Amino acid sequence: MAGLTFALASIGPTIVVFEAYFTPSQISAALLLIHVGVATAVRRAPSAPRAAAALLLCAALLGVGVASAPHLNSAAMAFLNFISGTITAVVIGVQAAGARTVRLNAIDIGLVTFVAISAAQNFAGTDEASTAAEVHATLLVAWGGSNYVGAVLVIVGYWLLARAMEIERGRWVLLLAIVASFVTAVSTLSRGTIVALSVGLLVATWNSGGSRFTRVVSRLGVLVVPVVGLWLMNIVVGERFENTSADPAYNIDARWGLYRLAWDEFLRSPLFGTGWTGLREVSPALLGSPITFAHNWYFSALQIAGLFALPMLIVFTWLTLRGVIGAGVYGAPVAAAFTAAMIEPVMEGYVGALVIVSVLVISSRVRDDRQAEKSVAVRLSSSPT
């Protein structure tokens, strides 16, 4: 069921219930939660780590942003997308962390299917675009636009890379999906995607290598990563803004403007925030059109729920640091997820939350396992023979 939830995430909102649109993935997620609830009742489900429980509690606090929002219906739907993705991700993350086998599992297949369908949608949707600028502006797969899609696919690509380093059979399936994920992500021509891809590659390179010699070589390779990132960025900027009058710096300036605007909204209502979708009310004066989120998870969460968002941001930061520093190969998807959340509104959406929170929960478990293995090794080495 967990794998099916990811596979169906590539299909957009197609199910209407009480005038609200839901995705097949959300329906699958609801069935998954019911299944886990029943399994827990009969004590057959894996226990959730404290980090996962803390994440759930803190995410629930952002529900305050529904009551403080100017439009209740749209705020409720936005929060539902976020909280359903977060809850499902915690459950899937706990399952995936306990099912890191040396063979392909259902979650692996679900992620591969998600990438395959998303890639097909992406390239089919850009057939009619005549310029690179049109490709970026008009790209819209069933579950998001160019920036959102590129960011999520980068995270999924690094997640699959971490799994490819663990399994012994069927690795070629994951490698094909990794290539498809990264190629599709770069084809969105999103600069934020290139940044997330580069940061993930930086951490992946640093954390790779088994022997001391290979670790030294790989860490020297870190020096090459910024060069590759700048090369890709130059290609994207050149393709996207060639033969156009658009200013490449405009989107960067607009983001800084959104950050200031979200901060001002937090200061206007520091305790409860101005609510989910509340930024739509004030952003037209700055950008000429309504923008739903601040394109930075910290500013966005504070604008949405005020100080009630602070616990979530603390836990998010804590899990990110744990994943990047101590989770080995899983540090790359965590680093890419954090980077994407700083420049794109990925955490606020269902698919983004589903992927990012899953990675955070898995990496936390991986770090704990690595620490336990080191403790055992130390005890064995210090015990008398």
Side-chain angles (χ1 to χ4, degrees):
M1 188 67 74
L4 181 63
T5 299
F6 273 115
L8 292 176
S10 57
I11 303 174
T14 56
I15 301 170
V16 182
V17 181
F18 298 118
E19 299 183 355
Y21 286 86
F22 296 92
T23 68
S25 179
Q26 286 173 308
I27 303 301
S28 174
L31 296 175
L32 172 65
L33 296 178
I34 293 172
H35 168 74
V36 171
V38 173
T40 302
V42 296
R43 299 182 181 180
R44 288 191 294 107
S47 59
R50 286 178 295 177
L55 197 58
L56 280 179
L57 179 60
C58 295
L61 290 176
L62 269 69
V64 168
V66 176
S68 61
H71 301 290
L72 182 61
N73 290 343
S74 60
M77 281 304 304
F79 175 67
L80 179 62
N81 284 333
F82 163 74
I83 198 65
S84 62
T86 300
I87 294 173
T88 307
V90 167
V91 172
I92 290 177
V94 171
Q95 290 188 341
R100 290 173 19 248
T101 60
V102 295
R103 296 185 179 184
L104 290 173
N105 57 40
I107 295 176
D108 297 331
I109 299 301
L111 288 171
V112 169
T113 304
F114 170 76
V115 169
I117 296 176
S118 299
Q121 291 176 347
N122 171 72
F123 290 110
T126 57
D127 282 346
E128 298 181 0
S130 58
T131 65
E134 288 183 7
V135 168
H136 176 77
T138 61
L139 190 150
L140 186 68
V141 302
W143 52 274
S146 56
N147 293 336
Y148 188 75
V149 169
V152 170
L153 286 178
V154 165
I155 302 166
V156 171
Y158 281 121
W159 182 356
L160 291 172
L161 179 61
R163 280 293 294 146
M165 300 293 287
E166 292 179 323
I167 67 173
E168 298 174 356
R169 298 182 60 182
R171 184 175 294 171
W172 64 272
V173 176
L174 299 188
L175 292 177
L176 287 176
I178 292 165
V179 172
S181 186
F182 288 155
V183 169
T184 305
V186 172
S187 74
T188 66
L189 300 179
S190 166
R191 288 174 288 181
T193 293
I194 301 301
V195 175
L197 181 67
S198 301
V199 173
L201 182 58
L202 196 70
V203 175
T205 304
W206 181 266
N207 288 342
S208 63
S211 65
R212 184 175 181 180
F213 174 75
T214 55
R215 282 199 301 272
V216 170
V217 171
S218 64
R219 290 179 180 182
L220 287 175
V222 165
L223 301 174
V224 180
V225 174
V227 177
V228 175
L230 288 173
W231 173 67
L232 284 174
M233 185 67 75
N234 285 332
I235 292 176
V236 166
V237 171
E239 288 288 326
R240 191 167 142 190
F241 296 97
E242 185 180 16
N243 300 323
T244 70
S245 59
D247 181 5
Y250 172 77
N251 285 352
I252 299 174
D253 294 337
R255 274 175 168 75
W256 284 109
L258 278 173
Y259 301 163
R260 290 193 298 268
L261 189 61
W263 181 251
D264 289 342
E265 288 295 282
F266 165 67
L267 295 178
R268 186 163 69 88
S269 180
L271 183 57
F272 299 109
T274 56
W276 289 90
T277 71
L279 205 63
R280 292 179 186 171
E281 301 295 306
V282 293
S283 54
L286 175 69
L287 300 173
S289 60
I291 303 297
T292 305
F293 300 115
H295 287 60
N296 177 287
W297 178 230
Y298 288 88
F299 286 116
S300 186
L302 290 172
Q303 174 269 312
I304 288 168
L307 292 176
F308 279 87
L310 201 55
M312 178 65 182
L313 297 179
I314 292 172
V315 172
F316 178 79
T317 305
W318 173 59
L319 289 176
T320 297
L321 290 174
R322 281 171 57 87
V324 172
I325 295 173
V329 293
Y330 281 91
V334 172
F338 178 81
T339 305
M342 294 303 100
I343 50 182
E344 303 292 352
V346 285
M347 265 296 290
E348 296 89 332
Y350 170 74
V351 178
L354 182 66
V355 171
I356 291 177
V357 175
S358 293
V359 166
L360 289 176
V361 173
I362 294 170
S363 66
S364 182
R365 171 66 180 274
V366 170
R367 184 185 186 279
D368 289 342
D369 290 346
R370 285 164 60 90
Q371 289 296 111
E373 290 172 2
K374 288 180 180 179
S375 298
V376 171
V378 170
R379 286 198 301 270
L380 291 175
S381 63
S382 61
S383 61
T385 55

